[in-house]
Structures are given as C-alpha cells and as structure tokens.
C-alpha cells in the first residue's frame, strides 16, 4: 500500500486549516461608528470601511489582549487616496494608555502610500518610523502583523519584519506589558496633515473611499476580569519568539531600502538628545 497522500487531500486539508484559522468578523469585532459606512459581508469573512465627506467609520475587537500575534489582511483605498488615513492598531484606554500603531497615509494616484508606525507607552508616543511598501497595497490584500510578547514588539508585512521595539525596561525605557489592549481600525479624513504635511487635500469627488479587511487571526492571550487566558506553565510558541538571523537580515533590508523616517535619527526634532532607546539600539 502506498504511503503517499493524494494531492487533492492535501489541498482540502490546507483549505480547511486556513478556514479554521481565519476569524469571523461577526464574532470577533463590533462596528463602533460610521452610521452604516462599516459593513460585515460574506458571512463574517469580509469587513469594509468607507469614508465620505460626512463621516468615516471604524470597528474594534470584542476581546482585550495582553500579548499576542495579530494578523489582518487589508486592501487599502485605491486611486487618489490623498488626505485619508486607514488606521489599524492595538490600544488600551486612558491618559497613560499603551498603543501599537499601523497607519496608512493616502496619497495622490501613482504616488506611494506611507506606512506609519508608532509605539506608545504610558501615554507617551513620538516613536514614529515610516516606510514605503515594495508593492501596491491597493491592488490586493496583504497581511499586516503585530507580534507583541514580553521581549519585544515586531511589526511585519507579508511575513517580512519591518520594525522591532525591544523591551529595554531594565535600562529605563518603558514597555507595554501591563495594560490589556483591544484591536481598533478606522478610515478617516486627516487632510490637515496626512499627505505632504496637509498640502494635498482630500478630493471628495472620488468618495466614497473604501478599505477592505479579511483573514483576521489572533494567536493571543485574551484578558478578562478573571485574568489572562494564557498560563505561565503553558506559554504558546510566539510568547518567546524573537527575530532570528534571517529576520534581522530582512528587517535591515527593509530599513535600508524602504524606511523614509526614523525618529531615532531626527536630531533636529530631539535637539536635547535622542530618546534613550535610540542610544541603546
């Protein structure tokens, strides 16, 4: 008897696995604003946000998380998206909140999107790094991931790491580790700053603008009033994950070729001295 597995079975198994891992927007998220401009479609497998001159729209996760690996596929506003911002981030609440940000800054047709990242700890941000992407993020869905564990925060695009924020608490740099966060996303008008510092305004004749989401997956520790769903005796693999040598090479490639702003090199902005984590890097 042959021990080969039929290709058809492998294909079926792969499809089943992907479907099992993909989240359901009806089960995992609440639409929080937009007066009907946010829609959950295809039996919970697709979510769209839209923006017109009256309002944008947004949603948030039902669960709060304290550490996790969060994946979401997005297809961004196509065409002339100048003035628009699509935000996808983790955040707690309050004046001393923690936050981990992806923001996609729209641009004129033919000009590249800017991927804006930031990390807030205890209400303090100002840790921006910005990138161009090596593909057109409006043509198809691409996966944007946040790995957040006690060692570091790693931002990735289609599995390629683009940024790492390490836990340097022992050196005096605060790190998000005590506040549970929800996932938020919104599409909104920010033409006072988003495109070329606000010089290019939103062209409302192109509205409505639409961004699409699918294949949400959270391998994460959910947080409730009872505490974390993760046990210290049974930590998931991502809990101790860090960049290996290949990951370090890939992040260097991205930052060498596609990074357009790094707060850690902005000596004009930080004329009194760069932030501590920049000096320790």
């Amino acid at each position: 008897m042959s021990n080969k597995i039929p290709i058809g079975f492998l294909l079926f198994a792969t499809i089943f696995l992907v479907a099992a891992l993909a989240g359901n927007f009806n089960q995992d998220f609440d639409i929080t604003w937009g007066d009907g401009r946010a829609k959950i479609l295809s039996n919970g497998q697709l979510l769209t946000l839209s923006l017109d001159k009256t309002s944008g729209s947004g949603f948030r996760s039902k669960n709060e998380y304290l550490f996790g690996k969060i994946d979401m596929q997005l297809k961004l506003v196509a065409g002339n998206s100048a003035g628009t911002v699509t935000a996808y981030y983790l955040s707690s609440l309050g004046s001393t909140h923690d936050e981990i940000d992806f923001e996609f800054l729209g641009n004129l047709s033919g000009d590249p999107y800017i991927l804006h990242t930031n990390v807030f700890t205890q209400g303090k941000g100002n840790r921006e790094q910005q990138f161009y992407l090596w593909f057109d993020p409006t043509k198809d869905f691409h996966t944007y991931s946040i790995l957040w564990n006690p060692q570091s925060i790693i931002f990735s695009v289609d599995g390629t790491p683009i940024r790492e924020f390490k836990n340097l608490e022992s050196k005096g740099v605060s790190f998000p580790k005590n506040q549970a966060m929800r996932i938020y996303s919104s599409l909104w008008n920010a033409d006072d700053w988003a495109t070329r510092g606000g010089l290019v305004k939103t062209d409302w004749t192109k509205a409505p603008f639409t961004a699409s989401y699918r294949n949400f997956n959270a391998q994460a520790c959910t947080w409730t009033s009872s505490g974390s769903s993760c046990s210290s005796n049974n930590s998931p693999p991502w809990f101790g994950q860090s960049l290996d040598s290949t990951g370090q090479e890939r992040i260097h490639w991205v930052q060498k070729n596609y990074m357009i702003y790094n707060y850690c090199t902005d000596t004009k902005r930080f004329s009194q001295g760069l932030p501590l984590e920049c000096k320790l890097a």
Side-chain angles (χ1 to χ4, degrees), residues 62-74:
K62 295 179 187 289
N63 288 326
E64 291 183 286
Y65 304 99
L66 188 60
F67 303 123
K69 184 178 185 298
I70 310 294
D71 302 317
M72 183 83 80
Q73 290 193 334
L74 280 75

Side-chain angles (χ1 to χ4, degrees), residues 225-240:
S225 57
S226 304
S228 174
S229 63
C230 295
S231 165
S232 57
N233 299 323
N234 188 25
S235 297
W238 55 261
F239 202 79

Side-chain angles (χ1 to χ4, degrees), residues 134-151:
W134 49 96
F135 53 83
D136 183 343
T138 72
K139 296 295 186 185
D140 203 352
F141 286 90
H142 292 269
T143 304
Y144 302 91
S145 305
I146 295 168
L147 171 63
W148 169 38
N149 63 28
Q151 291 78 46

